């Protein structure tokens, strides 16, 4: 895939970039290692000052970078602005909280004495240069939720971003430089996926984090495993959205639409499978279908647009293939199910797809097991809580989940039995810097955000001091 900005709203190639050669990659690896060796000794106050500066710049430049994101990958402009604001908020959260999250831990004195020590503690130290392989769907947020904690922990970062968001990638490298971080500490590498293995095998790279597809995760994890290097993987999901009889169905319908079509349906934590109890199924499907069909599909730069194009032509083809397979095997598209007609002008060349609701899903259909990365919802009628849990878990993924019930016993049961990294009750799954984010099964391993995230790329160092002899000798 060429490194280029191609506007998905009209298919126009706006700018292309040359891939960095081996000599330039080598220079950047050397610069990252040198910057880390110096930066690792800085205090939290200095790191926080720099990160706050990056947040200030991002706030000042929010409109410009939002427009860049929209042009590069098609998210509605309002969503792009919100993404930039969220990134600045996360930077400030880590600037305020990193020192406390990484404070030395002191075991109970009785345990210290039992270990034969006069005193002992756990001290967190940065690992080094971390390679971040990031996707295009949240081109700013996916990077910042790694970079903010990693830099506050004292690490350096190398960013290999998706090839279709090069201008956003270059902006990020420049942002941290302009904020005053040392030269080389956070750099963007304009390289293809073919270069990742060589970079990851370089001894100056200590660890890697990847958000992306399952095949990409497997490739990075296998190389890192061979090199015995730490990895964190977030590989997508097919999140259930369960609606039980005690739910506020009208509110559930309203949130379900946003949960499915956020970011044009291209979100790992978007609700994708809607499991609705038989008692409220018909009311839910009526409201949900009506709201999905009423969404405005069009130019993502327009403030009135609800759903923009898919980010790539292949992405739309993948969604079409899943829907066509389901319909061929007996599913019903109660709304959508095709490319929108009568889009004006150059938009007719864009990679748009209608918001779609499918019913009658069976296990033989690909969409039952595969992630639909576009504005396509599958709705299931379930008899009871047991069937809801069974269908919710009938997926290779386990990123997050949404459950609508006001029954405390049902809530306890879902927390116990749903196989996912998160359970969100009566609301939409969302990431926040104070809460750990990540999944189980083929959604990956490790956690981003919160104290769990900042410690992923730290060396938890045991510091042990011998007990003095009783006689003082």
């Amino acid at each position: 895939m060429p490194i280029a900005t191609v506007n998905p709203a009209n298919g126009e190639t706006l700018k292309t970039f040359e891939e960095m050669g081996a000599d330039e990659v080598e220079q950047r690896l050397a610069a990252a290692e040198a910057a880390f060796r110096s930066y690792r000794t800085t205090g939290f106050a200095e790191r926080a000052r720099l990160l706050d500066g990056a947040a200030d710049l991002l706030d000042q430049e929010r409109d410009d970078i939002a427009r860049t994101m929209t042009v590069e990958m098609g998210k509605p402009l309002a969503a792009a602005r919100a993404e930039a604001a969220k990134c600045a908020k996360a930077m400030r959260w880590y600037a305020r909280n990193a020192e406390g999250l990484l404070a030395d831990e002191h075991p109970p004195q009785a345990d210290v004495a039992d270990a034969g020590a006069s005193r002992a503690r756990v001290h967190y130290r940065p690992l080094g240069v971390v390679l971040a392989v990031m996707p295009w769907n949240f081109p700013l947020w996916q990077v910042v939720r790694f970079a903010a904690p990693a830099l506050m922990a004292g690490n350096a970062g190398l960013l290999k971003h998706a090839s279709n968001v090069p201008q956003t990638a270059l902006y990020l490298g420049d942002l941290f430089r302009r904020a005053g971080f040392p030269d080389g500490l956070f750099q963007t590498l304009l390289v293809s996926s073919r270069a990742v293995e060589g970079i990851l095998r370089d001894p100056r790279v200590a660890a890697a984090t990847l958000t992306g597809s399952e095949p990409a995760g497997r490739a990075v994890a296998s190389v890192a495993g061979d090199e015995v290097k730490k990895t964190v993987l977030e590989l997508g999901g097919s999140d259930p959205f369960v609606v039980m009889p005690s739910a506020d169905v009208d509110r559930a319908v309203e949130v379900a639409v946003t949960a499915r079509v956020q970011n044009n349906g291209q979100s790992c934590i978007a609700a994708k499978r809607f499991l609705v109890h038989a008692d409220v199924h018909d009311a839910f499907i009526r409201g949900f279908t009506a709201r999905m069909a009423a969404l405005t599909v069009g130019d993502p730069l327009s403030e009135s647009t609800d759903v923009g194009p898919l980010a790539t032509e292949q992405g739309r083809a993948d969604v079409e293939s899943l829907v066509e397979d389901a319909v061929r095997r007996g599913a019903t598209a109660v709304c959508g199910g095709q490319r929108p007609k009568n889009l004006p002008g150059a938009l007719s060349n864009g990679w748009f797809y209608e918001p779609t609701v499918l019913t009658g899903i069976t296990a033989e259909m690909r969409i039952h097991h595969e992630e639909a990365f576009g504005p396509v919802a599958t709705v299931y009628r379930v008899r009871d809580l047991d069937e809801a849990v069974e269908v919710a878990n009938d997926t290779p993924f386990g990123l997050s989940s949404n459950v609508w019930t006001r029954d405390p016993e049902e809530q306890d049961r879902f927390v116990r039995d749903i196989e996912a990294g998160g359970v969100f009750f009566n609301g939409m799954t969302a990431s926040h810097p104070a809460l750990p984010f990540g999944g189980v099964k083929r959604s990956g391993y490790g956690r981003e955000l919160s104290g769990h995230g900042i410690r992923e790329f730290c060396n938890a160092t045991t510091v042990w001091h011998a007990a003095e002899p009783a006689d003082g000798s």
Side-chain angles (χ1 to χ4, degrees):
M1 184 178 187
I3 301 174
T5 297
V6 181
N7 188 343
N10 55 28
E12 179 185 359
T13 299
L14 301 177
K15 195 170 185 179
T16 59
F17 296 82
E18 290 294 324
E19 181 175 355
M20 291 178 178
D23 289 345
E24 185 168 1
V25 171
E26 165 58 30
Q27 291 171 8
R28 289 175 180 264
L29 280 164
E33 170 70 6
F36 165 69
R37 290 299 171 193
S38 173
Y39 179 75
R40 65 188 291 272
T41 65
T42 60
F44 285 105
E46 173 63 7
R47 297 173 194 171
R49 183 187 69 80
L50 295 171
L51 195 59
D52 277 332
D56 290 343
L57 285 172
L58 184 53
D59 277 339
Q60 294 164 19
E61 298 162 359
R62 182 184 305 165
D63 287 345
D64 289 340
I65 187 58
R67 185 177 181 86
T68 298
M69 286 190 284
T70 294
V71 169
E72 287 202 304
M73 56 72 56
K75 69 172 71 239
L77 189 58
R81 289 196 203 99
E83 181 174 338
K86 182 175 184 176
C87 290
K89 177 181 177 180
M91 289 179 184
R92 294 191 176 97
W93 189 90
Y94 271 106
R96 290 195 312 272
N97 292 290
E99 184 171 9
L101 295 171
L102 296 179
D104 286 355
E105 297 174 5
H106 298 272
Q109 189 57 36
D111 292 333
V112 171
D114 191 56
S118 61
R119 63 188 189 277
R121 59 193 168 101
V122 178
H123 179 69
Y124 290 98
R125 298 186 292 172
L127 286 183
V129 179
V130 182
L131 173 64
V133 182
M134 292 289 130
W136 46 260
N137 58 332
F138 290 94
L140 213 63
W141 172 241
Q142 303 277 17
V143 178
V144 166
R145 76 185 191 194
F146 150 72
L151 296 178
M152 282 304 300
N155 293 295
L158 292 172
L159 170 63
K160 189 284 179 210
H161 218 324
S163 295
N164 61 326
V165 289
Q167 294 187 65
T168 305
L170 291 170
Y171 172 83
L172 281 157
D174 189 54
L175 174 71
F176 291 112
R177 181 192 61 78
R178 289 186 291 121
F181 284 93
D183 287 346
L185 190 73
F186 190 93
Q187 301 175 79
T188 291
L189 304 178
L190 289 184
V191 296
S192 70
S193 58
R194 296 187 303 274
V196 169
E197 179 175 351
I199 296 168
L200 183 51
R201 289 191 185 279
D202 190 286
R204 291 164 293 190
V205 174
T209 180
L210 177 142
T211 299
S213 69
E214 188 180 336
R218 288 178 185 274
V220 165
S222 64
V223 173
D226 190 48
E227 294 291 335
V228 196
K229 294 182 179 181
K230 175 70 179 290
T231 52
V232 170
L233 303 180
E234 193 265 275
L235 306 180
S238 190
D239 291 3
F241 188 107
V242 181
V243 184
M244 298 298 287
S246 66
D248 178 339
V249 176
D250 290 339
R251 176 63 179 157
V253 165
E254 180 183 352
V255 173
V257 174
T258 303
R260 179 65 286 245
V261 302
Q262 60 174 314
N263 208 45
N264 305 336
Q266 302 164 121
S267 171
C268 299
I269 57 171
K272 299 182 177 77
R273 299 175 299 130
F274 296 81
L275 287 46
V276 187
H277 192 283
D279 291 353
V280 293
H281 175 273
D282 292 350
F284 178 89
I285 196 73
R286 282 195 301 270
F288 185 54
T289 302
R291 282 178 174 267
M292 289 282 282
L295 293 170
T296 299
V297 178
D299 185 354
L301 291 172
S302 171
E303 300 290 352
S304 63
T305 292
D306 298 312
V307 180
L310 278 296
T312 67
E313 190 170 17
Q314 183 60 53
R316 182 176 65 177
D318 291 343
V319 169
E320 287 179 318
S321 176
L322 285 176
V323 173
E324 289 167 2
D325 173 79
V327 171
R328 185 170 62 252
R329 295 174 184 270
T332 300
V334 292
C335 75
Q338 58 187 344
R339 303 179 185 186
K341 298 179 175 61
N342 303 319
L343 286 172
L347 294 181
S348 62
N349 298 319
W351 303 317
F352 295 89
Y353 196 77
E354 291 181 337
T356 299
V357 177
L358 297 176
T359 60
I361 305 299
T362 62
E364 293 74 27
M365 300 171 186
R366 288 173 49 209
I367 203 167
H368 179 72
H369 297 289
E370 297 180 29
E371 180 180 19
F373 218 56
V376 177
T378 54
V379 182
Y380 299 74
R381 182 193 297 266
V382 295
R383 297 183 303 274
D384 52 26
L385 187 149
D386 288 337
E387 187 178 14
V389 169
E390 179 184 354
V391 178
N393 291 338
D394 189 20
T395 172
F397 301 105
L399 188 55
S400 190
S401 59
N402 311 257
V403 179
W404 289 73
T405 175
R406 290 181 280 200
D407 184 323
E409 292 185 2
E410 289 183 346
Q411 292 178 355
D412 289 344
R413 173 74 187 282
F414 282 111
V415 170
R416 187 191 76 183
D417 290 346
I418 281 190
E419 298 166 350
V423 184
F424 284 68
F425 288 108
N426 303 317
M428 187 177 80
T429 295
S431 55
H432 185 280
L435 301 173
F437 180 85
V440 296
K441 301 196 294 188
R442 292 189 182 177
S443 287
Y445 52 75
R447 291 295 180 266
E448 296 177 291
L449 303 175
S450 77
H452 295 276
I454 197 171
R455 289 189 285 268
E456 287 281 7
F457 296 115
C458 287
N459 173 4
T461 307
T462 297
V463 181
W464 183 96
H465 297 265
E468 294 294 333
D471 60 5
S473 61

